[in-house]
PDB file of all heavy atoms in Angstrom:
ATOM      1  N   ARG A   2       1.937   1.226   0.746  1.00  0.00           N
ATOM      2  CA  ARG A   2       2.867   2.416   0.847  1.00  0.00           C
ATOM      3  C   ARG A   2       3.445   2.737  -0.393  1.00  0.00           C
ATOM      4  O   ARG A   2       3.376   3.882  -0.970  1.00  0.00           O
ATOM      5  CB  ARG A   2       3.922   2.038   1.827  1.00  0.00           C
ATOM      6  CG  ARG A   2       4.672   3.308   2.283  1.00  0.00           C
ATOM      7  CD  ARG A   2       5.725   3.039   3.449  1.00  0.00           C
ATOM      8  NE  ARG A   2       4.995   2.613   4.707  1.00  0.00           N
ATOM      9  CZ  ARG A   2       5.235   1.573   5.447  1.00  0.00           C
ATOM     10  NH1 ARG A   2       6.212   0.746   5.069  1.00  0.00           N
ATOM     11  NH2 ARG A   2       4.559   1.334   6.490  1.00  0.00           N
ATOM     12  N   LYS A   6       2.751   6.253  -2.607  1.00  0.00           N
ATOM     13  CA  LYS A   6       4.000   7.000  -3.031  1.00  0.00           C
ATOM     14  C   LYS A   6       3.905   7.208  -4.458  1.00  0.00           C
ATOM     15  O   LYS A   6       4.294   8.315  -4.972  1.00  0.00           O
ATOM     16  CB  LYS A   6       5.281   6.259  -2.626  1.00  0.00           C
ATOM     17  CG  LYS A   6       6.467   7.055  -2.948  1.00  0.00           C
ATOM     18  CD  LYS A   6       7.758   6.247  -2.523  1.00  0.00           C
ATOM     19  CE  LYS A   6       8.903   7.102  -2.832  1.00  0.00           C
ATOM     20  NZ  LYS A   6      10.150   6.350  -2.359  1.00  0.00           N
ATOM     21  N   ASP A  10      -3.925   3.856  -7.548  1.00  0.00           N
ATOM     22  CA  ASP A  10      -5.208   3.401  -6.966  1.00  0.00           C
ATOM     23  C   ASP A  10      -5.074   1.942  -6.565  1.00  0.00           C
ATOM     24  O   ASP A  10      -4.424   1.162  -7.339  1.00  0.00           O
ATOM     25  CB  ASP A  10      -6.412   3.627  -7.774  1.00  0.00           C
ATOM     26  CG  ASP A  10      -6.666   5.104  -8.095  1.00  0.00           C
ATOM     27  OD1 ASP A  10      -6.147   5.863  -7.455  1.00  0.00           O
ATOM     28  OD2 ASP A  10      -7.401   5.294  -9.007  1.00  0.00           O
ATOM     29  N   GLY A  16      -7.632  -9.688   5.961  1.00  0.00           N
ATOM     30  CA  GLY A  16      -8.107 -10.750   6.902  1.00  0.00           C
ATOM     31  C   GLY A  16      -8.899 -10.187   7.936  1.00  0.00           C
ATOM     32  O   GLY A  16      -8.931  -8.996   8.197  1.00  0.00           O
ATOM     33  N   ALA A  32     -27.842  -7.046   9.921  1.00  0.00           N
ATOM     34  CA  ALA A  32     -28.076  -8.245   9.073  1.00  0.00           C
ATOM     35  C   ALA A  32     -28.674  -9.361   9.772  1.00  0.00           C
ATOM     36  O   ALA A  32     -29.571 -10.143   9.264  1.00  0.00           O
ATOM     37  CB  ALA A  32     -26.652  -8.619   8.376  1.00  0.00           C
ATOM     38  N   ALA A  35     -32.406  -8.763  10.507  1.00  0.00           N
ATOM     39  CA  ALA A  35     -33.212  -8.833   9.223  1.00  0.00           C
ATOM     40  C   ALA A  35     -33.346 -10.316   8.813  1.00  0.00           C
ATOM     41  O   ALA A  35     -34.346 -10.825   8.364  1.00  0.00           O
ATOM     42  CB  ALA A  35     -32.601  -8.090   8.116  1.00  0.00           C
ATOM     43  N   ARG A  68     -25.178 -12.715   5.392  1.00  0.00           N
ATOM     44  CA  ARG A  68     -25.747 -13.798   6.242  1.00  0.00           C
ATOM     45  C   ARG A  68     -26.684 -14.602   5.386  1.00  0.00           C
ATOM     46  O   ARG A  68     -27.559 -14.163   4.825  1.00  0.00           O
ATOM     47  CB  ARG A  68     -26.627 -12.995   7.368  1.00  0.00           C
ATOM     48  CG  ARG A  68     -27.296 -14.059   8.337  1.00  0.00           C
ATOM     49  CD  ARG A  68     -26.241 -14.733   9.100  1.00  0.00           C
ATOM     50  NE  ARG A  68     -26.742 -15.279  10.306  1.00  0.00           N
ATOM     51  CZ  ARG A  68     -27.316 -16.565  10.385  1.00  0.00           C
ATOM     52  NH1 ARG A  68     -27.329 -17.358   9.264  1.00  0.00           N
ATOM     53  NH2 ARG A  68     -27.683 -17.037  11.515  1.00  0.00           N
ATOM     54  N   SER A  76     -23.801 -29.921   9.326  1.00  0.00           N
ATOM     55  CA  SER A  76     -24.227 -29.767  10.701  1.00  0.00           C
ATOM     56  C   SER A  76     -24.443 -28.309  11.103  1.00  0.00           C
ATOM     57  O   SER A  76     -24.860 -27.974  12.175  1.00  0.00           O
ATOM     58  CB  SER A  76     -23.260 -30.416  11.590  1.00  0.00           C
ATOM     59  OG  SER A  76     -21.945 -29.834  11.444  1.00  0.00           O
ATOM     60  N   ARG A  84     -16.076  -9.851   4.498  1.00  0.00           N
ATOM     61  CA  ARG A  84     -15.030  -9.479   3.643  1.00  0.00           C
ATOM     62  C   ARG A  84     -14.647  -8.055   4.119  1.00  0.00           C
ATOM     63  O   ARG A  84     -15.417  -7.121   4.283  1.00  0.00           O
ATOM     64  CB  ARG A  84     -15.543  -9.424   2.186  1.00  0.00           C
ATOM     65  CG  ARG A  84     -16.049 -10.674   1.728  1.00  0.00           C
ATOM     66  CD  ARG A  84     -14.915 -11.643   1.447  1.00  0.00           C
ATOM     67  NE  ARG A  84     -15.321 -12.902   0.839  1.00  0.00           N
ATOM     68  CZ  ARG A  84     -15.689 -14.052   1.500  1.00  0.00           C
ATOM     69  NH1 ARG A  84     -15.659 -14.010   2.791  1.00  0.00           N
ATOM     70  NH2 ARG A  84     -16.141 -15.107   0.877  1.00  0.00           N
ATOM     71  N   HIS A  85     -13.294  -7.834   4.213  1.00  0.00           N
ATOM     72  CA  HIS A  85     -12.830  -6.529   4.567  1.00  0.00           C
ATOM     73  C   HIS A  85     -11.782  -6.192   3.408  1.00  0.00           C
ATOM     74  O   HIS A  85     -11.050  -6.968   2.872  1.00  0.00           O
ATOM     75  CB  HIS A  85     -11.914  -6.558   5.885  1.00  0.00           C
ATOM     76  CG  HIS A  85     -12.698  -6.979   6.945  1.00  0.00           C
ATOM     77  ND1 HIS A  85     -12.527  -8.177   7.549  1.00  0.00           N
ATOM     78  CD2 HIS A  85     -13.656  -6.342   7.713  1.00  0.00           C
ATOM     79  CE1 HIS A  85     -13.403  -8.347   8.662  1.00  0.00           C
ATOM     80  NE2 HIS A  85     -14.040  -7.232   8.700  1.00  0.00           N
ATOM     81  N   ALA A  87      -9.237  -2.811   2.002  1.00  0.00           N
ATOM     82  CA  ALA A  87      -8.699  -1.426   2.065  1.00  0.00           C
ATOM     83  C   ALA A  87      -8.638  -0.994   0.748  1.00  0.00           C
ATOM     84  O   ALA A  87      -8.175  -1.710  -0.256  1.00  0.00           O
ATOM     85  CB  ALA A  87      -7.322  -1.596   2.696  1.00  0.00           C
TER      86      ALA A  87
END
Side-chain angles (χ1 to χ4, degrees):
R2 195 173 292 131
K6 182 178 179 180
D10 294 347
R68 181 65 163 89
S76 60
R84 299 289 184 267
H85 301 106

